[in-house]
Each structure stands twice: as structure tokens, then as C-alpha cells.
Amino acid sequence: MILNIKGDINRYYVQTLSMIFFPGASFSEGEEPGPGVPVLSVELNKDAEGYTAVADVVLDGRTAHSEKSRAFDQAYSDERLRKLVVGDSVTAALGELMEYRPSWGILTGVRPSKVATELLNSGVSKTRTKRILNHDYMVFPKKADLAVTVALNEQRIIGTPLRRDCSLYISIPFCASRCAYCSFVSYTSQKLLSLIPDYIVRLKKDIHDVAALAREFGLNIKTVYFGGGTPSILEPDLLTDILNCVGEELGGLLPEEYTFEAGRPDSITAEKLAIMHRLGVKRISVNPQTLCEEVLEGVGRHHTVEDFYRAYSLARESGIETINTDLIAGLPGDSFKSFSKSIDGIIGLAPENVTVHTFCVKRSASINQTDNIYSMRGGDAGKCVDYSQIKLQQAGYIPYYMYRQKNTVGNFENVGFSLPGKEGKYNIYMMEEVHSILAVGAGAVTKFVRLAENRDEKTVITRFFNPKYPFEYLREDNCAALSDAIRNFYTEHPTAYSDGISGEITEITEK
């Protein structure tokens, strides 16, 4: 896709808007106009009254034009006003060309409930917030209602964030096999799987060092989260070893929440679940993704529906308090009929948490190497997402966190649902960036959060990236990097771990 930008316009924002209408689009600077290549021109002008944005798009001889103006408004910063008028103009032009209106309007980014949170925190009522989302951001009413509901639930769970709080993320980036839609950093070859014992040794060292630094700086590790990959790929002896390590380093005091993303049903056994329960795990994920055999086979998921029911039954019998299950709407080969059966089947099991993702097309996923499966409208995905939200709330579940990804079919959202009091707090802490996430393991990203000292300042986010691949992570010259990063951050920013309040977020990324 070709973009021609004139004026004080955020190019990346225009790109993300364009990808709603042209999912999978690339934006090469040297691309030449030609068949099938859309050309979008956007111009922003300022006068004494406010801003005017003009958008023109051309594709294979078809054209669309939009001109939108917005007067200066004390309710919006100059930056936000520019974004609103550009978003209005671009989506109007692209929407006319493609005959499509996105349900989330001009909202882009990972956190669609962010604007709702900002408005509610500034004292705007729920009703007024929904109207603003609908009128100014062109969000469909049902999505505006969802955004406000999620924002209120998140704020209730977060409460007043404390600077001393943090969470610990532990990466187990290995899987027995790779699903066709997966793009996570996970490793399946026998050569790489043979690294697991050495990987656990190194992981224990990092956990020890991070826990020691947390004690030194007086940090409170509120949640622990094992993610992957498939953490339950670990054999019982290694699973016992790493969970014992966590318990010892926390001084025998269990965190507020302790999650193990067991993941794929074919890796879950009664013995492993008993170890998790005995060593303090309170929350696990058992993820079918769908209860349709044909869809499972089509996406390379190496387990059956029967495997899921077996694993879920074992998890329920294990004594672990909270079970989460994941489903994905819009998987290739799925339909509203089969997906609705999956939702109904999961509700019948009554897990404490249900997370409904929308299928996201990743460039590096194998399923995308042979078929172009990008989808603007998303086929049945929209109906599936709506059905899941209606049925789960009717069954007593509340939507408590939400996020989106680029190139999601239909531009729909991922929503976590919970029975009251059973919310996965790590998900909120990580998504809403209310405290630091200290991350160990290959591919893990530590997110340092420096909360604002007053409401006129901004919260600052700094990221530290661990080596991506296990064999790089195991190299001796990388062993001290994470500890050094943690020590340097808390030494340089002593106010980062004293009580305070949060404000807007400025992102700073470091390697």
C-alpha cells in the first residue's frame, strides 16, 4: 500500500487504520502504483477554527474522497484532536471505497478500552463516555458498552496501584508440536527440546537473582505467571524443580495469584497437576481453542476434543482453584454453528475463566505461508464474538480485560471473562501497565513501569528484551544482563518503588 502524508500526521496511526481495511498490507517506501495496490493520500491543515483533514484513496480505478473538520475543543489535547480528525477522514474514505464500517471505529492499538478508562477517571459518567466513544470515535454502541464495562471492572480490580508492586513472568518457550496459526517464540525440534534441562538450570538462576533484587529494593511480587510455549511440556522432575525454586525464592509466601498456563490438553497429566497443586499453583489454563474435531485437525492442533475433556476433568479433580479455557473465534474452517457449540460446551463445564480470542493472522505462522487468510469482515467471526459475549454474560461471567492485535479477522477483540472474584489479575496488571513485570526466560520481555508522581505527569514504560532463542539465552555472556537491567533501573529511579498514582503513559523501549 502507498501512503502520501502531508501535514502533522502520525504515519503509524494512518497505517494501522489502513490495515483495518487492507489486513496484511505492507507499506514499502519504494512501492510503485499498480494493479491491486491502493494509494491513500492524507492532508491535514490548521486554521483559526481548528483542523481539517482530507483523505483520497485510489484502487484499480475506483476512488473515494473525504473531508472532515473539527473545531478546537478544550476537552481534547491538540495531539488528540489531530488524531480524531485524521481518523474520521481516513476511515470515511476507506469505508466508502470498501463499503465497510469497522465496529471499533477509529480506535486502534492494543487497548480498546483505554479511552473509556481515561474518560471515566476524569469524572465523565458511564452514559456520557459511551456517547463520546460512539460519536467522536465512531465505535458501535455494543462495543462502546463493552469498553466501558471492561474499563470499570479493570479499575475495580486494580484499585490504587502501589509502586512497590511487581509481577514475575516465567517463559517456557517449548512445545511438542507447532500449531499452524502460531507465531510465538516456541520450539519443537528434538534438538531444541533437548535444551530443556539446561534451560531450567539457567531459569532457576534468573529466578534466584530476580527474587534477591526484589528483596533488596523492597518490591512486592503480587503475581507469578508461567507462560509459553506450553509450560506443561516439562517432565514431572523438572516441573517439580522449577516450582520448588519459585516457592523457595518467595520465602514460602505464595503470591496474590499464581498461574501456570498448562495449555495444550495432550501435555497435561494427573501427576503434573498434582505437583502444581502441591507446590502452590492456584490458576491454570487448559486450552481447547475449539471443540470441533475438523477445525482442530485443520489448524494442526495435535489433540482431540476427547483429550481436552480428559485434561479438564483431571484439572477439576486436582484441587487447583481456578481453571481458564481459551477459545478462538474465526479459525479457518470454523463456522458460527460449530463455534456456538464450542461456547455452549465450555459454559456447560463452568470453568472460572473463559478467554475468547479472535483469530489473528501472523506473518510468520505456517498457515499464512500457503493461503491468504486475511479477512476484513471476518466471515462468521463477528457473529461468533457477539454470541460468546451474550452467552457468557447470561451465564454469569463478567468481561474483565480486553485487548486487540493487528490483522485480527474482522478487527475484532480478545476478551477475558470471569466468574465474580475469579479474575486473572496478571492479565490486567500486564495489559494496563500498572506495575513492573519482571520477566525471565528466552523471549521474555521485562516491562519497567515508573508511575507518575502526580496527575500532570506521565507514567514511563521501559522494556528490556531477553535473548529470543533458548540457545542464545543459555550463553554465559547473557547471564547477568537481566539482573543488571533491574538493578540499574531501580538504582536510577528510586521513586519507582514508593507509593504513588498512575497517569498517562509514555513508552520508551530499550534493548
Side-chain angles (χ1 to χ4, degrees), residues 117-427:
T117 299
E118 292 172 352
L119 290 168
L120 292 166
N121 285 345
S122 67
V124 179
S125 69
K126 292 189 294 184
T127 301
R128 176 66 178 155
T129 296
K130 293 175 187 178
R131 287 178 184 159
I132 291 172
L133 288 171
N134 180 235
H135 180 267
D136 289 2
Y137 294 88
M138 294 176 284
V139 176
F140 282 17
K142 64 184 176 183
K143 299 301 184 186
D145 183 72
L146 176 64
V148 169
T149 301
V150 169
L152 289 169
N153 285 329
E154 286 178 336
Q155 293 307 304
R156 171 181 55 80
I157 295 164
I158 290 169
T160 302
L162 301 178
R163 296 178 183 276
R164 293 185 183 277
D165 291 342
C166 66
S167 289
L168 175 62
Y169 177 83
I170 302 170
S171 170
I172 310 291
F174 301 94
C175 289
S177 63
R178 189 180 182 89
C179 301
Y181 56 79
C182 181
S183 67
F184 286 120
V185 180
S186 55
Y187 303 95
T188 59
S189 73
Q190 287 304 309
K191 182 177 180 180
L192 287 168
L193 293 177
S194 69
L195 297 176
I196 291 178
D198 289 338
Y199 182 86
I200 295 300
V201 171
R202 167 66 196 281
L203 203 57
K204 288 169 57 181
K205 179 186 183 304
D206 273 358
I207 293 170
H208 170 79
D209 291 346
V210 168
L213 287 165
R215 290 190 292 271
E216 179 179 339
F217 289 102
L219 304 178
N220 174 36
I221 298 177
K222 293 193 73 173
T223 72
V224 174
Y225 192 103
F226 275 85
T230 305
S232 54
I233 194 174
L234 299 180
E235 293 299 327
D237 59 334
L238 293 177
L239 177 63
T240 301
D241 199 18
I242 195 66
L243 292 178
N244 268 329
C245 173
V246 172
E248 291 167 3
E249 295 300 338
L250 294 181
L253 299 175
L254 292 178
E256 176 183 278
E257 180 180 274
Y258 195 168
T259 300
F260 195 96
E261 193 175 325
R264 292 177 21 160
D266 48 332
S267 65
I268 296 171
T269 67
E271 182 182 8
K272 293 178 184 179
L273 291 167
I275 293 167
M276 295 178 208
H277 181 245
R278 176 169 56 84
L279 295 178
V281 171
K282 299 296 184 183
R283 182 175 182 272
I284 63 169
S285 290
V286 184
N287 300 330
Q289 314 303 16
T290 175
L291 297 182
C292 177
E293 291 288 5
E294 292 78 11
V295 177
L296 285 174
E297 292 175 8
V299 298
R301 191 83 171 166
H302 286 193
H303 67 80
T304 64
V305 174
E306 183 180 349
D307 288 334
F308 164 71
Y309 281 114
R310 175 196 58 81
Y312 184 90
S313 178
L314 291 174
R316 184 55 74 202
E317 294 167 1
S318 71
I320 294 173
E321 294 176 2
T322 300
I323 301 175
N324 172 75
T325 62
D326 282 4
L327 291 174
I328 302 177
L331 281 171
D334 209 355
S335 65
F336 175 72
K337 182 179 180 180
S338 54
F339 181 84
S340 60
K341 287 183 178 179
S342 293
I343 283 289
D344 294 344
I346 292 299
I347 290 174
L349 294 174
E352 287 74 19
N353 290 174
V354 180
T355 307
V356 181
H357 301 270
T358 306
F359 177 57
C360 180
V361 185
K362 297 291 190 178
R363 293 185 186 275
S364 59
S366 63
I367 200 171
N368 196 38
Q369 305 307 309
T370 55
D371 300 303
N372 181 10
I373 55 176
Y374 293 109
S375 175
M376 178 180 67
R377 290 180 173 81
D380 279 357
K383 288 172 61 180
C384 294
V385 168
D386 288 348
Y387 184 83
S388 70
Q389 294 173 7
I390 292 169
K391 294 294 286 187
L392 283 163
Q393 291 182 78
Q394 287 177 345
Y397 292 84
I398 60 171
Y400 74 97
Y401 89 106
M402 174 170 59
Y403 69 102
R404 287 193 304 168
Q405 298 165 284
K406 288 187 295 185
N407 294 327
T408 298
V409 296
N411 192 41
F412 297 115
E413 63 277 7
N414 307 313
V415 184
F417 293 87
S418 171
L419 295 176
K422 292 294 186 177
E423 301 87 355
K425 295 180 180 179
Y426 171 84
N427 294 317

